[in-house]
Amino acid sequence: SSIKNNIADMAKRFIIGDSISAAKKTLTKLQQQGFLFTIDLLGEAVLSEEEANSYYLKLSEIITEVSSLANPNVSIKITSLSSKLKSLDPDYSIELLKARLWPLLRQAKNHNVFINFDMESYQSLEIINKLFTNLMFDQEFIDWPNLGIVVQAYLKRSQKDLENLV
């Protein structure tokens, strides 16, 4: 059907490979054409620590693999790093995430890879914003310029979130 073909065509534009090694050829070609992009693994929050570990290992592989590209940029779905997050206890969740995220950030820093914190859902907004702020003032990363955060501009609170980040 026409709808099915349109969906398949759109997927081909945004999903360029089932592994980073498969995608690198297309990414290199895009860079040569002047495009900038961020690499983003498909998926959202995980349901088990096994899934979280898998996501972590894939991210680690991607960070290493993309370092050969010019201006590598990787988006991280923060809630995919642990299945034990509690939106009602952001401090607990932040400590849990720091243990998983800091090694990835060190790796990205060593490989000169830009990292974006992906904003996934309204429920994780406070955790991700606090985690990002926590990171910005960490002595290890305070001068590291290769870090960004996505702000959902369509939310009423986005102006306040931006002001808090500034």
Side-chain angles (χ1 to χ4, degrees):
S1 81
S2 176
I3 294 173
K4 185 177 179 180
N5 290 339
N6 287 341
I7 291 171
D9 184 52
M10 184 170 291
K12 287 178 192 172
R13 292 174 192 236
F14 291 101
I15 303 170
I16 60 169
D18 60 0
S19 70
I20 192 62
S21 55
K24 276 180 80 173
K25 183 178 179 181
T26 303
L27 293 173
T28 301
K29 184 190 252 184
L30 287 170
Q31 283 186 326
Q32 291 168 347
Q33 295 172 356
F35 287 96
L36 296 174
F37 50 81
T38 186
I39 297 163
D40 192 352
L41 287 171
L42 292 178
E44 292 295 330
V46 294
L47 300 176
S48 70
E49 285 305 289
E50 186 178 329
E51 284 181 324
N53 290 336
S54 176
Y55 182 78
Y56 178 93
L57 292 173
K58 287 177 187 173
L59 273 177
S60 181
E61 176 190 356
I62 285 171
I63 289 168
T64 300
E65 286 287 324
V66 300
S67 64
S68 62
L69 297 171
N71 305 311
N73 187 318
V74 175
S75 290
I76 296 180
K77 289 178 176 63
I78 303 299
T79 61
S80 293
L81 291 171
S82 176
S83 65
K84 299 177 181 179
L85 302 181
K86 300 176 182 178
S87 58
L88 296 177
D89 191 352
D91 293 332
Y92 166 83
S93 299
I94 288 167
E95 289 308 310
L96 213 135
L97 287 166
K98 281 174 68 173
R100 297 302 309 263
L101 186 59
W102 265 226
L104 287 172
L105 295 175
R106 286 184 193 107
Q107 181 185 1
K109 188 176 176 183
N110 290 335
H111 284 87
N112 200 30
V113 173
F114 193 100
I115 297 293
N116 279 307
F117 279 35
D118 197 353
M119 193 59 65
E120 306 143 64
S121 70
Y122 193 78
Q123 292 80 9
S124 62
L125 186 75
E126 183 180 359
I127 292 169
I128 293 172
N129 280 335
K130 281 186 174 183
L131 181 66
F132 186 80
T133 303
N134 201 307
L135 169 66
M136 289 181 353
F137 293 107
D138 186 286
Q139 282 305 114
E140 186 174 357
F141 301 109
I142 199 164
D143 293 326
W144 186 40
N146 291 345
L147 189 63
I149 185 168
V150 173
V151 175
Q152 305 291 13
Y154 57 84
L155 295 176
K156 289 181 182 180
R157 67 175 277 170
S158 63
Q159 180 70 33
K160 184 174 173 29
D161 289 338
L162 283 171
E163 289 170 3
N164 289 338
L165 286 167
V166 171

